[in-house]
């Protein structure tokens, strides 16, 4: 609380503590370490308790708590009761910053590490995550949940378990995922200034704000899943180069052999998790930021996005100028880029080199798969009478 007029105050509500108190009152068994639930007897019942924060009845309760705290414990140090009555001084409330999290509980910490590492390996480059931070702990995560630590290891300086954090920013909105403790994987949506949501910031708008953040978190998790596992429907590669129509307008097809269209697809995939969709300017800026073709203009971005709309890889939200990437389209774009950049390209490059140099000391599963394919493709090319390499002079 500010010590000078007009005595501005900031109130911070910890939703996890509130849910814990409500769950205890309702008789729902749980185990809570720090700011995280690590075990829940009835997850559905706890989810229903947490959902009450987005109900309109919560507004009056929040207002009562804030008024009781401000007028009885804080404002009395600045104005006594007579001065408050004479001046008519009063507070009104608005919501400035909100964080919404979704926790995934794993029985095995080692399994959680494998899932997290796989997700990060496959999605980091596709979503253009600018920074990935891993703080290595002193111990490996336990294989079962029999021996839980008495407190979460979230101390940044000396973590007990590995702490992996990745985040993406969209203006004043942040989407992030990180491991927390031994068996918890958390996905979180943070709005640093609720003005960006465009739904109002007064206390009466609190349910809408929570609902918007919940939708952002769900979309982020869905996007991670879609980017993690791509999918190409039958006939996709044959239909992409063909022209299509948007209404009565005929638009061109998509040629994956052109670097510009691949850069456009990569930028759309990186922006797939954008909570409010993307604009043409956002797309052009992302293409340039990801090292796309030099001189990529907004006009070119608009043309490329129109071609993607013609193939149902983008949808326009209402009558606005924003575009959304449907989940199925996200899987298709991820599959196309993976096939072109991580399957066809490496295999052809490997076939051109009949013998590799010294093998690395440590091979990953993907390295072994590439080596097996390289040897098999050399035999196949020889049987088919195809020579991979530069043309003879």
């Amino acid at each position: 609380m500010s010590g000078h007029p007009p005595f501005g105050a900031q109130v911070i509500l910890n939703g996890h503590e509130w849910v814990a108190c409500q769950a205890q009152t309702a008789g729902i068994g749980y185990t809570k370490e720090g700011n995280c639930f690590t075990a829940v007897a009835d997850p559905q019942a706890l989810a229903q308790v947490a959902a009450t924060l987005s109900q309109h009845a919560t507004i009056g309760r929040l207002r009562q708590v804030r008024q009781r705290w401000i007028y009885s414990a804080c404002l009395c140090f600045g104005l006594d009761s007579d001065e408050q009555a004479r001046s008519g001084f009063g507070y009104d409330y608005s919501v400035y910053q909100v964080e919404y999290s979704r926790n995934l509980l794993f029985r095995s910490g080692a399994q959680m590490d494998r899932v997290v590492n796989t997700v990060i390996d496959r999605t980091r480059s596709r979503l253009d995550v600018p920074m990935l931070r891993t703080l290595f702990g002193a111990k490996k995560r336990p294989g079962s949940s029999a021996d839980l630590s008495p407190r979460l290891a979230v101390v940044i300086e000396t973590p007990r378990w590995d702490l992996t954090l990745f985040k993406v920013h969209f203006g004043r909105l942040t989407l992030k995922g990180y491991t927390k403790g031994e068996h918890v994987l958390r996905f979180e949506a943070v709005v640093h200034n609720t003005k960006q949501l465009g739904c109002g910031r007064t206390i009466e708008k609190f349910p809408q704000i929570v609902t918007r953040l919940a939708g952002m978190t769900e979309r982020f998790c869905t996007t991670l899943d879609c980017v993690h596992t791509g999918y190409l429907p039958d006939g996709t590669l044959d239909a992409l180069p063909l022209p299509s129509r948007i209404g009565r307008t005929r638009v061109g097809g998509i040629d994956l052999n052109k670097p510009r269209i691949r850069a456009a697809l990569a930028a759309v995939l990186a922006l797939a998790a954008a909570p409010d969709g993307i604009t043409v300017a956002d797309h052009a800026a992302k293409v340039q930021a990801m090292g796309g073709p030099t001189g990529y203009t907004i006009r070119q971005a608009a043309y490329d996005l129109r071609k993607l709309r013609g193939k149902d890889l983008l949808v326009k939200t209402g009558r606005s100028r924003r575009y959304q990437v449907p989940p199925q389209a996200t899987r298709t774009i991820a599959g196309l880029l993976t096939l072109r950049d991580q399957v066809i390209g490496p295999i052809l490059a490997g076939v051109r080199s009949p013998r590799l140099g010294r093998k690395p000391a440590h091979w990953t599963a993907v390295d072994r798969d590439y080596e097996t394919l390289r040897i098999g493709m050399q035999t196949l090319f020889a049987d088919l009478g195809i020579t991979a390499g530069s043309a003879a002079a």
Side-chain angles (χ1 to χ4, degrees), residues 110-124:
Q111 181 187 9
M112 181 184 70
D113 270 348
R114 290 193 297 269
V115 171
V116 172
N117 292 333
T118 303
V119 170
I120 290 175
D121 288 342
R122 295 185 182 178
T123 62
R124 182 185 179 187

Side-chain angles (χ1 to χ4, degrees), residues 14 17 30 96 99 104 112 154 158 179-181 190 204 225 233 271 283 289 304 307 309 327 346 363 376 387:
N14 189 319
E17 294 294 334
Y30 65 88
Y96 183 74
E99 299 178 2
L104 303 181
M112 181 184 70
V154 295
T158 56
T179 54
K180 191 175 180 69
V190 182
E204 286 74 20
D225 178 61
L271 295 171
H283 180 257
D304 292 340
K307 291 198 291 186
R309 283 185 61 198
W363 280 44
T387 300

